[in-house]
Amino acid sequence: MLAKRHPAMVDSIAGAITVKSLDLYYVVASDAQIPLKGEHGFGLYFHDCRFLGGYRMALAGLAPIVLASTAQKGYAALFELTNPDLHFEREETIPKDELGIRWERILDARQRCVREVLTIQNFGYQTHGFPLSMQFRAGFEDIFDVRGLVRQDLGRPQRPAWREGRLYFVYHGADRLRRTATIAFSPQPDATHETTAEFRIDCPAGETRTIAVTIELNECSEEAEANHLNQQPTLALGNLAGNLQAGSEEWLEQHTKFDSDSLLLNGIVERSLRDLAMLRSDLGSREYFAAGVPWFVALFGRDSLIVALEMLAFQPEIAAQTLRLLASYQGHRTDRWREEQPGKILHELRVGELAGAGNVPHARFYGTVDATPLFLLLLGRYAAWTGDIGLFRELREPVERALGWIARAGDDHGEGYLKYRSTSESGLVNQGWKDSPDAIVRTDGGIARPPIALVEVQGYVFAAKHAIADLYERVGERERARQLRGEAERLRTRFNRDFWCEDQGIFALALEARRRPLGVVSSNPGQALWTGIADKDKGRRSVRRLMRDDMFSGWGVRTLSAAERRYNPVGYHLGTVWPHDNALLAAGCRRYGEDDAALRIFTAIAEAAMHFRHHRLPEAMAGFPRKDFQVPVHYPVACHPQAWVAGAVPFLVTTCLGLEPDAFAGRLRIARPRLPDFVNRITLHGLRVGKASADLEFRRTADGAEVNIQQTRGQLSVEVGG
């Protein structure tokens, strides 16, 4: 049983340099290398397969020294390296730092290739000659194998071969696909053996020498003709870089423009938007945000829905594409192995060898309890921002099937809660966003017994039914709208009775078998507050409990209280701090009038971002207290970039500015706008509500923020409330 989504059982990749273009991505160490041995997650990946799992460049047998590295643009990486002391048999030496090595890498996903250029400059006063070698390893490992979740050798690799100065790796997969990695060089190597290319570099003082490398990946059916290297190495990457840059900027131009007087916040928002540009992937003609690099470059129902929801104020179009895409994969039958059920929304779609060969169910896997209500909730929130009722009409059948699944799922005793119990031996024990096997625990440290009704999932259902009821009413089906609202309100009544833990002053993490509440203090109730399901007094008391020191680490709210038996500051869901969780939790604070708590979370998350490369927040941070280390502690194998984390700060902006759209009425309400302490001014340009837009400026005041409506375009009224 896979039984977990824990990212990996491999060494830390906290300092990795990551580049991605559509479904092609590269994860390397800061010195541009991929270790040839060991359990690690570095490599060159495509379609859930690590084609290249080792890549070592050496100068006279020694690794270069890294000076600087960056992948800020997302699709390209740049490394500045130098030489260690190099000693040769004839008593010649090349002193340390006398050679400059500039290593450029650009991904070209449309051509399924990586283009690299190494430029070696001699900064010394005499000619230097030395050997440079490049060694490769191509294992064609499935992503589940790399993560340590499945250990199966299914396919058949061919022996690597050199032909005409090119290195060929070929793998015949159990899914009847042939995968190839072909590496070409310019100039061609002076010598080759096994999987190593050797060059003799002779570089006069002050001059440069260049090596270009192209790595092309291919996969096709075994019956198809072999299509060996089409790409020729090139010494100039400028045109390709320019085209990729133009495409990235064009996508960013579609967004609401953000500016503030805080360099920190500007940097975080820009990083967020560029990371989301990087995480775009497509299936057919529809775009979605892949969940995260390197482990989750795939369509994930929950993740893709949440990040689309987070980004509605900045870029609503991808929400519509995500909804259509997930509707096309909606469950139609009962399949226990895939956990598919009629009406259920997909959890995960994988295209690697193990999925294609049927060894794991993830070619179409439905092991999630929350994607279905989130699908409905996103549809309702998307309509509020865009005024697009046509998408609801188009998706009426999937909507009804989803509502039908929610009515049936896990509710054996008619309690009215959405529950889960895994039916697949290859599935997930836990099926909410905290889906590691030890995530849902009792106060005594024991593991919860299914069926399990998670606190936040009931909130998702509540908010989804209200959101969809509004759409039914808008198309004239008032009785269906009344029915859904009635179901939601009855759920609210039961929820506040059954989930409330008076002794803790917060809602339970979940109800386990026999409707027993799990009275541990966790972050999950914060997401329930975001949906509005809690009674007002219980909501406010929950916020106060969440902000105590055992929950609030100084960098955000922990997933589990430090006072709980199972607390672990580096447990995946047992004490870490997740930025996306905190963004939704902050929205819950705002909903219940606890604005100071929301701003405290916003500030903590932003200050944490200062300590990560390029202000890129990771998937999760360790839960150690801020007072102990003064810097956030890396979670060793966190995804970065990760989609719903990239959407977290844009969503915090939307939340704290109090943006409440009603596109059908041509109205934007701004409720109790607030700015965090480190910001005095925020400007939004081109904020779209329906077919209209507005330019807005927010300025800090003693008791909140004043709003300057600079310009509106189209039919839009902007109303500012207290």
Side-chain angles (χ1 to χ4, degrees), residues 64 67 248 278-279 283 370 396 449 487 545 628 641 654:
L67 300 175
S248 178
M278 176 180 172
L279 286 165
L283 280 171
D370 52 11
R396 277 286 293 276
R449 290 181 55 203
E487 291 173 2
R545 182 65 188 88
D628 287 353
T654 304

Side-chain angles (χ1 to χ4, degrees), residues 74-216:
Y75 55 81
L78 175 63
F79 304 86
E80 289 289 350
L81 313 172
T82 190
N83 64 293
D85 287 322
L86 301 178
H87 302 280
F88 303 98
E89 292 180 358
R90 298 182 302 277
E91 297 186 358
E92 296 177 14
T93 63
I94 301 177
K96 181 176 178 288
D97 301 334
E98 196 141 304
L99 302 175
I101 304 166
R102 182 182 179 89
W103 196 343
E104 300 171 86
R105 281 183 175 147
I106 292 183
L107 300 190
D108 185 355
R110 299 298 181 189
Q111 299 294 326
R112 296 185 182 178
C113 75
V114 183
R115 295 192 180 276
E116 307 187 358
V117 173
L118 280 82
T119 303
I120 301 143
Q121 185 169 2
N122 182 355
F123 291 112
Y125 291 95
Q126 60 185 19
T127 297
H128 286 316
F130 57 92
L132 183 151
S133 63
M134 292 181 174
Q135 184 178 358
F136 303 87
R137 180 176 68 82
F140 299 95
E141 302 102 329
D142 189 276
I143 189 71
F144 287 95
D145 191 359
V146 177
R147 290 167 60 192
L149 302 181
V150 176
R151 296 297 190 189
Q152 294 186 24
D153 296 321
L154 299 177
R156 177 175 57 85
Q158 286 184 200
R159 186 179 181 85
W162 287 92
R163 293 195 295 275
E164 299 178 348
R166 296 173 175 176
L167 177 59
Y168 293 87
F169 294 97
V170 180
Y171 178 80
H172 302 274
D175 55 354
R176 299 188 59 77
L177 290 180
R178 181 174 62 246
R179 295 172 173 86
T180 62
T182 310
I183 306 172
F185 308 86
S186 179
Q188 290 194 6
D190 295 300
T192 62
H193 59 90
E194 295 183 345
T195 63
T196 300
E198 295 186 349
F199 300 86
R200 173 68 190 180
I201 307 296
D202 291 297
C203 190
E207 294 192 14
T208 62
R209 293 292 182 264
T210 301
I211 299 173
V213 181
T214 291
I215 306 170
E216 185 178 62

Side-chain angles (χ1 to χ4, degrees), residues 223-495:
E223 294 76 21
E225 289 293 323
N227 182 21
H228 290 310
L229 190 71
N230 295 317
Q231 312 299 319
Q232 298 298 322
T234 176
L235 298 177
L237 300 180
N239 288 341
L240 176 58
N243 292 338
L244 293 170
Q245 177 73 13
S248 178
E249 295 300 327
E250 181 181 355
W251 190 77
L252 291 171
E253 278 299 311
Q254 301 170 17
H255 289 69
T256 298
K257 305 301 182 297
F258 175 91
D259 185 47
S260 78
D261 66 337
S262 166
L263 292 176
L264 172 61
L265 186 56
N266 291 345
I268 297 170
V269 171
E270 181 179 4
R271 179 74 269 147
S272 295
L273 298 180
R274 291 192 179 277
D275 279 351
L276 288 169
M278 176 180 172
L279 286 165
R280 285 180 302 157
S281 294
D282 57 27
L283 280 171
S285 59
R286 290 173 181 149
E287 278 194 352
Y288 66 95
F289 292 119
V293 178
W295 316 119
F296 308 122
V297 180
L299 176 64
F300 273 79
R302 176 194 309 119
D303 300 56
S304 299
L305 288 163
I306 286 179
V307 66
L309 192 149
E310 290 174 323
M311 291 300 295
L312 283 171
F314 285 81
Q315 220 280 18
E317 286 80 8
I318 204 163
Q321 296 189 61
T322 301
L323 288 163
R324 289 188 175 101
L325 184 58
L326 287 169
S328 71
Y329 286 101
Q330 188 176 31
H332 286 276
R333 57 179 181 156
T334 298
D335 183 333
R336 292 175 62 86
W337 189 55
R338 298 188 185 278
E339 305 219 34
E340 181 180 0
Q341 294 165 359
K344 197 174 185 182
I345 294 298
L346 182 84
H347 173 54
E348 182 177 358
L349 184 72
R350 292 292 189 173
V351 295
E353 180 185 10
L354 288 171
N359 288 70
V360 295
H362 295 71
R364 201 179 68 252
F365 183 55
Y366 293 83
T368 176
V369 72
D370 52 11
T372 307
L374 286 169
F375 173 86
L376 298 171
L377 181 55
L378 176 61
L379 178 57
R381 298 281 172 91
Y382 165 81
W385 274 102
T386 65
D388 177 9
I389 197 66
L391 184 60
F392 172 67
R393 295 183 191 276
E394 176 188 336
L395 298 179
R396 277 286 293 276
E397 282 191 37
V399 165
E400 278 298 326
R401 288 197 295 266
L403 289 167
W405 179 80
I406 289 171
R408 297 185 301 271
D411 193 16
D412 300 331
H413 303 290
E415 296 161 346
Y417 294 125
L418 181 53
K419 306 173 186 177
Y420 66 84
R421 181 203 299 269
S422 179
T423 62
S424 172
E425 291 186 358
S426 299
L428 293 163
V429 172
N430 287 313
Q431 299 190 354
W433 83 264
K434 293 180 179 177
D435 55 5
S436 51
D438 57 357
I440 310 303
V441 295
R442 304 189 189 106
T443 54
D444 64 2
I447 303 299
R449 290 181 55 203
I452 295 170
L454 292 168
V455 60
E456 76 276 13
V457 171
Q458 314 318 311
Y460 298 165
V461 173
F462 169 82
K465 288 189 174 182
H466 272 294
I468 294 300
D470 292 345
L471 298 182
Y472 272 110
E473 185 161 19
R474 196 159 294 281
V475 299
E477 296 192 31
R478 291 183 176 84
E479 179 57 30
R480 183 64 169 134
R482 186 193 63 78
Q483 177 189 1
L484 289 171
R485 291 190 182 113
E487 291 173 2
E489 289 307 312
R490 288 190 291 276
L491 172 60
R492 182 210 291 267
T493 300
R494 292 191 302 273
F495 174 87

